[in-house]
Amino acid sequence: MIHPEVLELLNAQMNKEFYSWYLYLSVSTYFNSQDLEGFEQWTNAQAQEELMHGMKIYNYILERKGSVDFRDIHKPSMTWASPVEAVSAIYEHERSLSQTIHQILKVAREHADYSAEVFLHWFITEQLEEEVMADRVLQKLKMVGDNSGALLMLDSQITQIAAAASARAAQNA
Ligand code: MG
């Protein structure tokens, strides 16, 4: 049986991943309203990935014969003052997701749960990729500043930047 402490943390992480889905979708909605289709597409694709992360944990809990516990999904902000503010929120949330994944791994090790440890390795690699990507976009947005021409250029390149980042991460996986 899965240790209750590990199970509790996995249920909490599942909820957090579902919240990420909401957060990315909220940001995607914002980019839609700004007519920034590249950013909209990037964040929409990320939202789908976050949903998949939540489902991955859901399936793992069932596989381990644990009890799935659904909790309220926190409502994300629906108003963003700027692309920098929106992507900063994503970056901070990705960092927080990484921290809790590391915490689950620590607890899994304490309980000698090697199966959970192997399961979590995938998330650790994935989180690094997502942190790097969010940070890269954030830094570029900061460089763009108030230059709308530069923002439009970045918008047209963003999906390629995302594809290049995930291709590099795939080589490390
Ligand atoms: Mg995730």
Coordinates of all heavy atoms in Angstrom, one line a residue, residues 13 17 20 49-50 53-54 94 97 123 126-127 130, ligand 1:
Q13 N -0.7 17.5 -4.9 CA 0.0 17.8 -6.2 C -1.0 17.7 -7.4 O -0.9 18.6 -8.3 CB 1.2 16.9 -6.4 CG 2.1 17.3 -7.5 CD 2.9 18.6 -7.2 OE1 3.2 18.9 -6.1 NE2 3.3 19.3 -8.3
E17 N -1.7 20.7 -10.0 CA -1.5 20.5 -11.5 C -2.8 21.0 -12.2 O -2.7 21.6 -13.2 CB -1.1 19.1 -11.9 CG 0.1 18.6 -11.3 CD 1.4 19.1 -11.9 OE1 1.4 19.8 -12.9 OE2 2.5 18.8 -11.3
S20 N -2.8 24.5 -12.3 CA -1.9 25.0 -13.3 C -2.6 25.1 -14.7 O -2.4 26.0 -15.5 CB -0.7 24.1 -13.5 OG -0.1 23.9 -12.4
E49 N -0.9 20.4 -21.3 CA 0.1 19.6 -20.6 C -0.1 19.5 -19.1 O 0.1 18.4 -18.5 CB 1.5 20.2 -20.9 CG 2.1 19.9 -22.2 CD 3.6 19.8 -22.2 OE1 4.2 19.7 -21.1 OE2 4.2 20.0 -23.3
E50 N -0.5 20.6 -18.5 CA -0.8 20.6 -17.1 C -1.9 19.7 -16.7 O -1.9 18.9 -15.7 CB -1.1 22.0 -16.6 CG 0.1 23.0 -16.8 CD 1.4 22.5 -16.1 OE1 1.3 21.8 -15.1 OE2 2.4 23.0 -16.6
H53 N -0.6 16.3 -16.7 CA 0.2 16.1 -15.5 C -0.7 15.6 -14.3 O -0.4 14.7 -13.6 CB 1.0 17.3 -15.0 CG 2.0 17.7 -16.0 ND1 2.7 18.9 -15.9 CD2 2.6 17.1 -17.1 CE1 3.5 19.0 -16.9 NE2 3.5 18.0 -17.6
G54 N -1.8 16.4 -14.2 CA -2.8 16.0 -13.2 C -3.4 14.6 -13.4 O -3.5 13.8 -12.4
E94 N 5.4 27.7 -11.6 CA 6.2 26.5 -12.0 C 7.3 26.2 -10.9 O 7.5 25.1 -10.6 CB 6.9 26.8 -13.3 CG 6.0 26.8 -14.6 CD 5.4 25.4 -14.9 OE1 5.7 24.4 -14.2 OE2 4.6 25.3 -15.8
L97 N 5.6 24.5 -8.1 CA 5.3 23.1 -8.5 C 6.6 22.2 -8.3 O 6.5 21.1 -7.8 CB 4.8 23.0 -9.9 CG 3.4 23.3 -10.2 CD1 3.2 23.6 -11.7 CD2 2.4 22.3 -9.8
F123 N 8.6 13.8 -13.4 CA 8.1 15.2 -13.1 C 9.2 16.2 -12.8 O 9.1 17.3 -13.1 CB 7.2 15.1 -11.9 CG 5.7 14.7 -12.2 CD1 5.4 13.4 -12.3 CD2 4.8 15.7 -12.5 CE1 4.1 13.0 -12.6 CE2 3.5 15.3 -12.8 CZ 3.1 13.9 -12.9
E126 N 10.5 17.2 -16.2 CA 9.5 18.0 -16.8 C 9.5 19.4 -16.2 O 9.4 20.4 -16.9 CB 8.2 17.3 -16.6 CG 7.0 18.0 -17.2 CD 6.9 18.0 -18.7 OE1 7.7 17.3 -19.3 OE2 6.1 18.8 -19.3
Q127 N 9.6 19.5 -14.8 CA 9.5 20.8 -14.2 C 10.7 21.7 -14.5 O 10.5 22.9 -14.7 CB 9.4 20.6 -12.6 CG 8.0 20.3 -12.1 CD 7.0 21.3 -12.6 OE1 6.0 21.0 -13.3 NE2 7.2 22.6 -12.4
E130 N 9.9 23.2 -17.8 CA 8.9 24.2 -17.8 C 9.4 25.5 -17.1 O 9.0 26.6 -17.5 CB 7.6 23.7 -17.1 CG 7.1 22.6 -18.1 CD 5.7 22.1 -17.8 OE1 5.2 22.4 -16.7 OE2 5.1 21.5 -18.7
Ligands
MG1 MG 2.8 20.4 -14.4

